[in-house]
Amino acid sequence: MADSPSTKRWLPLEANPDVMNQFLWGLGVSADEGECFDVYGLDEELLEMVPKPVLAVLFLYPITPQSEEERIQQDSSVKVKESSNGVYFMKQTVGNACGTIGLLHAVGNITSEIKLVEGSYLDKFFKSTANMNPSERAAFLENDREMEVAHSVAATGGDTEASDNVDTHFICFTCVNGQLFELDGRRAGPISHGASSPNTVLQDAAKVIQEIIQKNPDSINFNVIAISKKTGA
């Protein structure tokens, strides 16, 4: 889950909706507002099974020499927006924190769609970091003991034994101002993948994810999780 400039390392979050739900619900996303779900496949029929509306998509992929080379090449060719342009973005400076960064990227860009519990950790976090730049947000998180403890509890609550020796990485996809953005704390800024909408964000993200998977045909360690808004019965 990505080495980082900081010496601090956390245990990685498991790509498990139950773990992520308990993490988010405990920090201030009401269980009545949002929930994480597995995406079992990227063809249209399986995408239609995901509860709607989808607000954000998390993608876990293996870090390989090939993926790292492609990332470097993409950084030089794809338009990386150094200015946020309305996108909530933060750098990753803590090792193995990409799962938490991905969830913060997701929630930080959908605060107009879901109601955070007033006075909760996430409510205070996003209010405190709203006017910070991506590096300042990273430093704020790195020094935030409450989040470190919450992350540790979630990381040890999965089905597999937590280890800091991992070779996978989480990124987030979400729609902001009519564009699909890829949010990766290892990048200089948000990456735009073109036009999108709240109604098509899952399908649009799936197309980008499929391209990443096709470039790594020998890898099977991929996982896609959607964060959907509760609409009630």
Side-chain angles (χ1 to χ4, degrees), residues 83-229:
S83 59
S84 64
N85 195 31
V87 180
Y88 185 92
F89 178 78
M90 62 191 298
K91 298 286 286 180
Q92 178 184 341
T93 57
V94 177
N96 294 334
C98 57
T100 291
I101 298 290
L103 289 170
L104 289 174
H105 276 149
V107 177
N109 285 292
I110 58 175
T111 51
S112 62
E113 304 294 328
I114 61 174
K115 295 179 181 178
L116 296 176
V117 176
E118 188 172 354
S120 66
Y121 173 84
L122 288 176
D123 180 49
K124 292 184 288 186
F125 180 88
F126 289 118
K127 287 177 179 176
S128 296
T129 61
N131 296 318
M132 294 181 180
N133 66 38
S135 295
E136 289 170 339
R137 290 167 180 163
F140 186 92
L141 178 68
E142 185 173 336
N143 295 311
D144 193 325
R145 179 62 180 165
E146 185 176 353
M147 173 58 88
E148 184 174 357
V149 171
H151 175 103
S152 178
V153 171
T156 56
D159 295 331
T160 56
E161 183 177 353
S163 168
D164 65 0
N165 183 24
V166 292
D167 58 359
T168 52
H169 184 65
F170 273 110
I171 58 178
C172 173
F173 294 91
T174 192
C175 177
V176 181
N177 296 328
Q179 290 189 69
L180 178 72
F181 283 98
E182 175 186 335
L183 306 173
D184 180 349
R186 299 195 300 160
R187 301 297 184 95
I191 298 173
S192 173
H193 287 283
S196 185
S197 73
N199 293 329
T200 63
V201 63
L202 177 60
Q203 287 77 9
D204 296 334
K207 292 177 183 177
V208 179
I209 290 170
Q210 283 176 320
E211 292 175 359
I212 296 173
I213 292 175
Q214 288 168 1
K215 291 178 180 177
N216 295 273
D218 296 330
S219 299
I220 59 172
N221 195 11
F222 298 99
N223 203 293
V224 183
I225 293 174
I227 301 178
S228 300
K229 181 177 174 62

Side-chain angles (χ1 to χ4, degrees), residues 46-74:
L46 291 173
L47 293 179
E48 282 300 319
M49 294 174 61
V50 180
K52 308 295 189 300
V54 173
L55 302 175
V57 178
L58 296 178
F59 177 48
L60 180 75
Y61 68 91
I63 294 177
T64 64
Q66 181 181 354
S67 71
E68 289 299 274
E69 182 178 347
E70 290 171 356
R71 179 175 67 89
I72 294 171
Q73 291 176 348
Q74 188 182 45

